[in-house]
Amino acid sequence: MRDVAIIGIGQTEVGEHWGKSLRELAGDAALIALADARVDHVDSIFVGNMLSGIANQQGQLGTMVADWIGQRFTEAVKVESACSSGGAALRMAYLAVASGEVDVALAVGVEKMTDSPGDEITAGLATAADADWEVDHGLSFVALNALLMKRYMHEHGWQSADFSEFSINAHQNAVHNPYARFRSPITEQQFAKSPMICDPINLMDASPIGDGAAAVILVRSDMLTTDLPRILVAGSSAATDTIAIHNRTQPTWLTPAEISSKQAYAQAQIQPEDIDLFEYHDAFTIMAALSLEACGFAERGKGPALAKEGAIRIGGRIPVATRGGLKARGHPVGATGMYQIVELVQQLRGQAGETQVPDPEFGMAQNIGGSGSNIVTHILKREK
Amino acid sequence: MRDVAIIGIGQTEVGEHWGKSLRELAGDAALIALADARVDHVDSIFVGNMLSGIANQQGQLGTMVADWIGQRFTEAVKVESACSSGGAALRMAYLAVASGEVDVALAVGVEKMTDSPGDEITAGLATAADADWEVDHGLSFVALNALLMKRYMHEHGWQSADFSEFSINAHQNAVHNPYARFRSPITEQQFAKSPMICDPINLMDASPIGDGAAAVILVRSDMLTTDLPRILVAGSSAATDTIAIHNRTQPTWLTPAEISSKQAYAQAQIQPEDIDLFEYHDAFTIMAALSLEACGFAERGKGPALAKEGAIRIGGRIPVATRGGLKARGHPVGATGMYQIVELVQQLRGQAGETQVPDPEFGMAQNIGGSGSNIVTHILKREK
């Protein structure tokens, strides 16, 4: 396998983009990434997206993006694994370059959700769960996460307020991210008073949907063309679990997060302690806690404790959601995994401004599809 | 890059599977392929599918298949490029094995279309076209192909009857394929009398939708475990064109078919004359003609002439649709590309029964997404 480097990044603001179509959002992020990488041609395009067929009546986004950004005739394909579609697209691009067949790949994550009626999006998001054995019985995607959270609180004795720090930290960091959907801090009190969505998940436990796109350019590592630090893909791994939660023996343990992070650590030849920041998948605060535990940053059942002791803040032991995370940067579902990668690269390059982690060498991103049923983990490394 | 071999194949009959769910269809094909390959574990799963979000309210088929066939925790992802989703999934599996990261990959194509109302499927198929600039103006997917066919007939002076041999040959070959949707031959007269669907496309110009799944097992080539002939992936390439037809300078020339077939010939170090059979994408007879021309088997505008002179029959210069093609085996859209590969392997192994091509060494499959906007070409080789 060849070493693979990321040499370009691009993103749009996450928000309600009434004035931009799906192709324009994807194109904006892709063209910024191409300019950042100083390349004008790519060999292959991989688009991460979850809902375009349902929300935008548009399939084959690979072709659509290639066409729109002027890369006519280029190989292009869409990759989907629910909310981890962005991470999965990055991994396919990585494998294509690592294989030796492709020298320059573009990976784009894009989602346009706010044009569609809410019930359509709720139904669309539920396609991440098991249609026959979960959704047909009345469970929405939020409800599945609520079941997980309730069980976790029961097993480990946590209260609702114990999850507040995940959201407070995310909002605090997003204040300084011009691409974030919500750039206002929240307080403990605001968290406590926020309306209940699906007991025990309140509004501040949940991330917002949104429209947005993010993109990266991957090349074989000897093709670097910029003066910026070399950012290498040091680890890349994905794993699944049962699609329905009730088939899992340990529903409150993210086995695919454990498997994929351990494989990524092994590939990068490091330990969890070597990770300088972690862009985790805080779609709900319960997922934040479970990810920290499964990846080896907190003991089982102790995710909220890690947050409460300040370890997840910038300057803490393991900073997370450093640009706002899903909670405050926003969660345009199929694009989220690519936003995480863009944000890691910003950090490793030293471009993260007010929320810059001091001199990071290794950053990890973890993108979760379904209720923990498809998890993609990447470790990026800045060469000293 | 490592050499990649296909050591297992599986398929279900194409038809109306009222008694089988999406996961059961995919699982049936996958388990047959695993048994055929004599392996009980795969490292990665790639699922080709176009419409499950719309037609089955189910996303992340990668996870669903891994879970259902007992490959829990395995990496798994869905790949989509409209009707070429099956070919694209095979190519992703090929790249993963070629990269050195994955030793054993399962590629599955699956589609379940006949449970859904016809208008829902028609709308779903239209997501292969440009939502903003084609579909919103009233064009269905059949209508786009009708425009192409009309223009082609105008440019080259062909009549409707000149396309009949594509369908007659397909039905003749399907008679002997137990997995085909239609196993009855058709005559010139039946073709001429068939009802008009969308002028100039009549019912016998068009392939039928259906439910079905097909699967293959790919391994690094030194891992062969069966006594069957070694079937190597000798060429793999994909290319795109504009998603909307009106943006093409030459709408009746499949540029991505030309590009991807030329790349595949170069990889396999052969010429078109060396191809012993061609599983082409005869979704409509116009696509059959255009594919033969763009891939170098017929001169421009002469596709129908090649068919009329008998060259596409078993024993002819370039046998096509040897197991029935999309026209008679059926076109479960996201699965079709994988059926083509399964059928190529049957031929190269000498398992094609009454429609066996004599002693083939090279077989080519070409899977077309949209109105020629995303084309994936594979060449398989039997080692002597």
Side-chain angles (χ1 to χ4, degrees):
Chain A
M1 290 181 66
R2 303 193 302 188
D3 282 341
V4 178
I6 295 179
I7 62 165
I9 55 174
Q11 60 185 320
T12 73
E13 189 180 334
V14 178
E16 297 188 23
H17 286 282
W18 297 97
K20 294 256 182 194
S21 69
L22 186 68
R23 82 182 79 209
E24 288 172 303
L25 285 172
D28 285 359
L31 292 173
I32 295 168
L34 284 163
D36 186 47
R38 301 185 204 168
V39 298
D40 57 12
H41 169 80
V42 301
D43 300 318
S44 299
I45 298 173
F46 301 85
V47 179
N49 169 271
M50 177 178 177
L51 294 173
S52 75
I54 292 169
N56 316 106
Q57 294 76 53
Q58 181 65 68
Q60 56 167 349
L61 299 198
T63 303
M64 185 195 73
V65 170
D67 183 10
W68 183 247
I69 65 171
Q71 300 286 324
R72 196 170 289 186
F73 307 133
T74 301
E75 169 179 32
V77 76
K78 164 175 160 169
V79 180
E80 186 268 333
S81 58
C83 297
S84 64
S85 299
L90 183 85
R91 182 160 156 74
M92 292 304 109
Y94 162 75
L95 289 175
V97 177
S99 77
E101 175 141 336
V102 168
D103 287 333
V104 185
L106 164 66
V108 190
V110 62
E111 206 75 66
K112 185 153 175 61
M113 308 172 79
T114 70
D115 287 357
S116 308
D119 59 341
E120 206 171 283
I121 293 298
T122 299
L125 291 172
T127 64
D130 192 309
D132 296 338
W133 295 329
E134 290 180 327
V135 184
D136 271 3
H137 297 271
L139 280 162
S140 72
F141 195 65
V142 182
L144 286 162
N145 281 275
L147 288 174
L148 282 178
M149 187 168 176
K150 198 153 216 168
R151 177 73 200 173
Y152 179 86
M153 290 164 76
H154 167 77
E155 285 176 0
H156 301 294
W158 296 111
Q159 304 298 315
S160 172
D162 296 320
F163 294 83
S164 64
E165 173 59 18
F166 295 119
S167 300
I168 292 169
N169 172 64
H171 276 264
Q172 186 57 50
N173 290 336
V175 167
H176 308 288
N177 179 5
Y179 302 99
R181 177 145 199 198
F182 295 129
R183 291 170 222 161
S184 47
I186 61 167
T187 64
E188 195 92 40
Q189 206 172 21
Q190 284 172 310
F191 183 92
K193 284 187 176 167
S194 70
M196 190 58 67
I197 303 297
C198 185
D199 187 17
I201 291 177
N202 72 39
L203 186 62
M204 287 298 125
D205 284 305
S207 60
I209 65 164
D211 310 330
V216 305
I217 307 291
L218 300 93
V219 298
R220 44 170 235 255
S221 65
D222 59 337
M223 275 181 64
L224 291 170
T225 58
T226 70
D227 315 323
L228 292 161
R230 278 163 60 99
I231 309 297
L232 298 177
V233 180
S236 172
S237 180
T240 58
D241 203 337
T242 66
I243 187 164
I245 292 179
H246 60 251
N247 282 329
R248 298 182 201 157
T249 48
Q250 303 184 79
T252 58
W253 184 254
L254 293 179
T255 307
E258 181 187 358
I259 292 173
S260 61
S261 64
K262 281 186 175 164
Q263 286 178 346
Y265 296 140
Q267 289 164 356
Q269 299 179 293
I270 58 171
Q271 303 295 323
E273 304 82 76
D274 300 312
I275 298 292
D276 297 303
L277 74 149
F278 180 29
E279 291 303 333
Y280 63 8
H281 191 95
D282 55 333
F284 300 98
T285 51
I286 178 63
M287 281 292 147
L290 295 180
S291 296
L292 286 168
E293 296 170 19
C295 295
F297 299 114
E299 283 177 42
R300 185 162 190 161
K302 302 289 186 202
L306 190 78
K308 285 153 79 85
E309 72 197 30
I312 65 171
R313 296 266 175 153
I314 306 293
R317 185 147 50 88
I318 180 72
V320 301
T322 67
R323 309 295 285 153
L326 281 64
K327 177 67 193 83
R329 175 242 295 130
H331 184 25
V333 287
T336 289
M338 213 66 75
Y339 274 98
Q340 293 177 316
I341 299 297
V342 166
E343 291 160 356
L344 275 194
V345 172
Q346 287 183 320
Q347 287 283 4
L348 294 172
R349 284 179 174 177
Q351 297 174 329
E354 294 87 342
T355 59
Q356 179 66 50
V357 171
D359 194 31
E361 182 182 4
F362 289 101
M364 186 159 91
Q366 185 165 77
N367 198 195
I368 302 183
S371 49
S373 62
N374 198 317
I375 301 186
V376 187
T377 305
H378 282 97
I379 294 175
L380 304 188
K381 177 186 183 182
R382 186 196 65 197
E383 280 204 336
K384 293 285 183 186
Chain B
M1 291 181 65
R2 304 193 304 188
D3 283 341
V4 178
I6 295 179
I7 61 164
I9 55 174
Q11 60 184 320
T12 73
E13 190 180 333
V14 178
E16 297 188 23
H17 287 282
W18 298 97
K20 294 255 183 196
S21 68
L22 186 68
R23 83 182 78 210
E24 287 172 304
L25 285 172
D28 285 1
L31 292 172
I32 294 167
L34 284 164
D36 185 48
R38 301 185 204 166
V39 299
D40 57 11
H41 169 79
V42 300
D43 300 318
S44 299
I45 297 174
F46 301 85
V47 179
N49 170 272
M50 178 178 177
L51 294 173
S52 75
I54 293 169
N56 316 107
Q57 294 76 53
Q58 181 65 69
Q60 57 167 348
L61 299 197
T63 303
M64 185 194 75
V65 170
D67 183 11
W68 182 247
I69 66 172
Q71 300 287 323
R72 197 170 290 187
F73 306 134
T74 301
E75 170 180 30
V77 76
K78 164 174 161 170
V79 179
E80 187 267 333
S81 58
C83 296
S84 65
S85 298
L90 183 84
R91 182 160 158 74
M92 291 305 108
Y94 162 75
L95 289 174
V97 177
S99 77
E101 176 141 335
V102 168
D103 287 334
V104 185
L106 164 66
V108 190
V110 62
E111 206 75 65
K112 185 154 175 62
M113 308 172 79
T114 71
D115 287 357
S116 307
D119 59 340
E120 205 171 282
I121 294 297
T122 299
L125 292 172
T127 64
D130 192 308
D132 295 338
W133 295 329
E134 291 181 326
V135 184
D136 271 3
H137 297 271
L139 281 162
S140 72
F141 195 65
V142 182
L144 286 163
N145 280 274
L147 288 175
L148 282 179
M149 186 168 176
K150 199 152 216 169
R151 177 74 199 171
Y152 179 85
M153 291 166 74
H154 168 75
E155 285 176 0
H156 301 293
W158 295 111
Q159 305 298 314
S160 171
D162 296 320
F163 294 84
S164 64
E165 172 60 17
F166 295 119
S167 300
I168 292 169
N169 171 65
H171 275 265
Q172 186 56 49
N173 290 336
V175 167
H176 308 288
N177 179 4
Y179 301 100
R181 177 145 199 200
F182 294 129
R183 290 170 221 160
S184 48
I186 61 166
T187 64
E188 195 92 39
Q189 206 171 22
Q190 283 172 311
F191 183 91
K193 283 187 179 168
S194 70
M196 191 57 68
I197 303 297
C198 186
D199 188 17
I201 292 177
N202 72 40
L203 187 63
M204 287 299 124
D205 284 305
S207 60
I209 66 164
D211 309 331
V216 305
I217 307 292
L218 300 93
V219 298
R220 47 170 232 257
S221 66
D222 59 336
M223 275 182 65
L224 292 168
T225 58
T226 71
D227 316 324
L228 291 162
R230 277 163 60 100
I231 310 296
L232 298 177
V233 180
S236 173
S237 180
T240 57
D241 204 337
T242 66
I243 187 164
I245 292 179
H246 61 252
N247 283 328
R248 298 182 202 157
T249 48
Q250 304 184 80
T252 58
W253 183 254
L254 293 180
T255 307
E258 180 188 357
I259 292 173
S260 61
S261 64
K262 280 185 175 164
Q263 285 179 344
Y265 295 141
Q267 289 164 355
Q269 298 179 292
I270 58 171
Q271 302 295 324
E273 304 82 76
D274 300 313
I275 297 292
D276 297 304
L277 73 149
F278 180 29
E279 292 302 334
Y280 64 7
H281 191 94
D282 55 333
F284 300 98
T285 51
I286 179 63
M287 281 292 147
L290 295 180
S291 296
L292 287 168
E293 295 169 20
C295 296
F297 298 115
E299 284 177 41
R300 184 160 190 164
K302 303 290 187 199
L306 190 78
K308 285 154 80 87
E309 72 196 30
I312 65 170
R313 297 265 174 152
I314 307 295
R317 184 147 51 88
I318 181 70
V320 301
T322 68
R323 309 295 284 153
L326 281 64
K327 176 67 194 83
R329 174 244 294 131
H331 185 25
V333 289
T336 289
M338 214 64 78
Y339 274 97
Q340 294 177 317
I341 299 296
V342 166
E343 292 161 355
L344 274 194
V345 172
Q346 287 184 319
Q347 287 283 4
L348 294 172
R349 283 178 175 178
Q351 297 175 329
E354 294 88 341
T355 59
Q356 178 66 50
V357 170
D359 194 31
E361 183 182 3
F362 289 101
M364 186 160 90
Q366 185 164 78
N367 199 193
I368 301 183
S371 49
S373 62
N374 197 317
I375 301 187
V376 187
T377 305
H378 281 96
I379 294 175
L380 304 188
K381 176 187 184 180
R382 186 196 66 197
E383 280 204 337
K384 293 286 184 182

